[in-house]
Amino acid sequence: MRELLVGADSVTRELCRSGAIRRLKAVVDAPARIVDAALDATTGTEEHAEDELHDTYGGGIVDIVDDGGELRWLLVDGGDVKIVDEHGGRRPWVRSAIPWSAIPAAKDVKAALEAGARAPYQELVELHLYRTVLPGPRESWAALLTAWGLGTYCLDEFAYYPLLLFDGEAERGKTRASKAALWPAYRGLYTPSPSSATLFRDRARHRVTLFLDVEDLPRRLERGGDIGDLVLNSFERDGVIRRCTRPDAEPERQVETFSAYGASIIATNRPILDSSPLASRCIRVSMPEAGRAMVPDAMRPEEASLIRARAVAWVAHVMATGVGLPEVENVPLRGRARDMALPLLRVLASVAPDEVERVTRLLGQVDADRRAEAAISWEARVAVALLDARDRVRAGRLYVEDLA
């Protein structure tokens, strides 16, 4: 066994660990401690095992790029932007272990840097206008979604980052709009059947932008659980999730802490009530009926490759200058609405300053609509719900879950 595990990859080692623990449970009190000691002996130190699982952002790392089939770091070193094989003893993860799809090409990043590292603002605006039937005013929404997408590349600039919530009845284009926002964003990841254990690690290790397509999100949040915790804690830079991942290990190794902060997109058929903690953490995009408007198929990850390359070149240039994004003063919003608005307005102040006022007005209207909805009395909400649920009456009965 020892000879087989020397130099083995982390997946093989974890499979061996799980199998050995199952076999030892019947005969020893602390099987995990024994197995971990044996595995540590095959690597020499625990630090080596941890090094295999290094994060792929921070410390000057901007992203991973594809350089002629080889994955390399795009990083900022002092005032220089570089593409290198290794950084601080860390190499990029192998392609099969990387969860996101749209990996920018190194040649496209170099070309964008040589051309001045301009943010792909106009390209993203046109993409949203072309790919999605947006609510009105369409141009303002396209500018807001563009600012949100570019902001996912510089999350460390912000204390908070708003979630995007696309809601509406079935067949309103929520998934199409979500993918148009997801694939050009930083390390977009969409999984139709999310596993909380996998998502926790993908967010903590790679800071992926997540798209969760959840049919009944309000009920999921009410019940709590892993996905709900991840969604609610992703809003704040210090947001973390703690889970007991190794109950059989010694106490100091039983609990693992995952960073939850990152950009998230949610699509749901059920409306989010103002009483939900998500209501004040998201920018809600209520999808209109498409009518006779013709829209193309949902965007694919590979279609975003060039935009991704230009976006990482832009943020690398911003990091290299050391100036960061400009601050925005006199924002006529308060509380959580201001927290959500500031990152988007700072991005716009950097790449499209003429749009700051228009998007500020839109965000103000979104906040006013949310507050007006919250002001509706509980009795009025029940009456409206009864009216809306009249087609769900079966055999003279309306079930509480349908009313809720």
Side-chain angles (χ1 to χ4, degrees):
M1 174 73 76
R2 178 185 175 93
E3 288 75 14
L4 289 174
L5 288 177
V6 172
D9 61 80
S10 58
V11 175
T12 301
R13 294 173 60 81
E14 188 61 31
L15 289 173
C16 290
R17 179 181 183 277
S18 300
I21 290 173
R22 283 198 302 271
R23 289 175 177 270
L24 287 172
K25 271 185 177 179
V27 293
V28 297
D29 292 330
R33 187 175 302 176
I34 295 172
V35 173
D36 288 340
L39 288 175
D40 290 342
T42 67
T43 61
T45 63
E46 288 186 11
E47 286 73 18
H48 178 77
E50 287 298 319
D51 187 59
E52 293 177 1
L53 300 175
H54 60 74
D55 297 340
T56 62
Y57 66 92
I61 295 173
V62 180
D63 207 344
I64 294 174
V65 297
D66 186 335
D67 193 3
E70 296 291 330
L71 297 186
R72 294 189 166 91
W73 296 121
L74 173 69
L75 62 89
V76 173
D77 184 6
D80 297 325
V81 180
K82 300 178 180 179
I83 295 176
V84 300
D85 293 325
E86 186 175 302
H87 175 56
R90 296 187 286 176
R91 296 182 64 85
W93 288 36
V94 296
R95 189 181 298 270
S96 59
I98 290 179
W100 66 94
S101 301
I103 299 176
K107 63 179 180 61
D108 294 332
V109 175
K110 293 175 182 176
L113 289 168
E114 292 170 359
R118 178 183 60 86
Y121 176 81
Q122 195 57 44
E123 295 92 325
L124 279 168
V125 168
E126 292 171 1
L127 182 151
H128 288 297
L129 290 173
Y130 172 67
R131 290 278 184 174
T132 311
V133 178
L134 295 171
R138 296 182 68 240
E139 291 75 13
S140 296
W141 275 110
L144 184 152
L145 293 175
T146 295
W148 187 91
L150 291 174
T152 64
Y153 288 83
C154 37
L155 290 176
D156 285 330
E157 289 266 348
F158 316 122
Y160 305 95
Y161 204 72
L163 293 85
L164 278 185
L165 173 66
F166 292 93
D167 72 351
E169 298 176 8
E171 299 183 8
R172 287 284 183 95
K174 298 183 294 296
T175 299
R176 180 184 291 109
S178 298
K179 289 184 176 179
L182 176 73
W183 298 131
Y186 185 73
R187 298 180 176 180
L189 173 62
Y190 169 57
T191 173
S193 302
S195 161
S196 57
T198 303
L199 291 183
F200 283 6
R201 287 164 173 79
D202 288 340
R203 171 55 62 83
R205 294 293 186 189
H206 310 297
R207 195 173 274 177
V208 293
T209 298
L210 291 176
F211 167 32
L212 301 175
D213 199 348
V214 185
E215 181 179 359
D216 193 353
L217 181 64
R219 183 178 301 177
R220 182 77 67 92
L221 292 174
E222 287 173 9
R223 292 176 177 175
D226 291 343
I227 300 299
D229 287 348
L230 177 61
V231 168
L232 294 177
N233 283 284
S234 66
F235 171 75
E236 190 170 356
R237 185 166 60 191
D238 296 330
V240 297
I241 300 171
R242 287 173 56 81
R243 288 293 183 271
C244 181
T245 57
R246 294 184 175 183
D248 293 326
E250 55 271 27
E252 65 269 23
R253 299 187 65 181
Q254 288 179 357
V255 177
E256 191 171 355
T257 300
F258 301 93
S259 172
Y261 180 53
S264 300
I265 303 170
I266 302 168
T268 181
N269 292 343
R270 301 291 180 91
I272 300 295
L273 298 178
D274 62 275
S275 57
S276 168
L278 182 62
S280 62
R281 290 171 166 84
C282 68
I283 294 175
R284 179 178 174 184
V285 188
S286 298
M287 300 301 292
E289 291 186 13
R292 296 185 178 182
M294 299 297 294
V295 291
D297 294 335
M299 190 176 190
R300 301 187 303 276
E302 57 270 20
E303 295 181 74
S305 179
L306 188 55
I307 288 179
R308 287 264 290 118
R310 293 175 179 171
V312 296
W314 164 70
V315 75
H317 176 71
V318 171
M319 291 171 62
T321 61
V323 176
L325 299 177
E327 298 293 339
V328 179
E329 305 294 338
N330 303 319
V331 177
L333 297 167
R334 66 183 189 275
R336 190 59 62 79
R338 189 174 190 276
D339 293 338
M340 291 195 297
L342 280 177
L344 309 188
L345 298 180
R346 289 181 63 192
V347 170
L348 288 172
S350 174
V351 302
D354 292 343
E355 296 296 328
V356 170
E357 184 178 350
R358 177 157 64 171
V359 172
T360 300
R361 286 199 303 270
L362 175 59
L363 288 168
Q365 185 60 53
V366 170
D367 183 52
D369 291 344
R370 183 182 68 82
R371 292 179 183 277
E373 184 176 334
I376 299 176
S377 70
W378 171 252
E379 293 80 4
R381 265 188 269 160
V382 172
V384 171
L386 286 169
L387 181 64
D388 289 344
R390 62 188 183 278
D391 60 338
R392 297 177 183 235
V393 176
R394 299 186 291 277
R397 295 182 178 182
L398 175 62
Y399 292 93
V400 171
E401 64 180 13
D402 291 327
L403 179 62

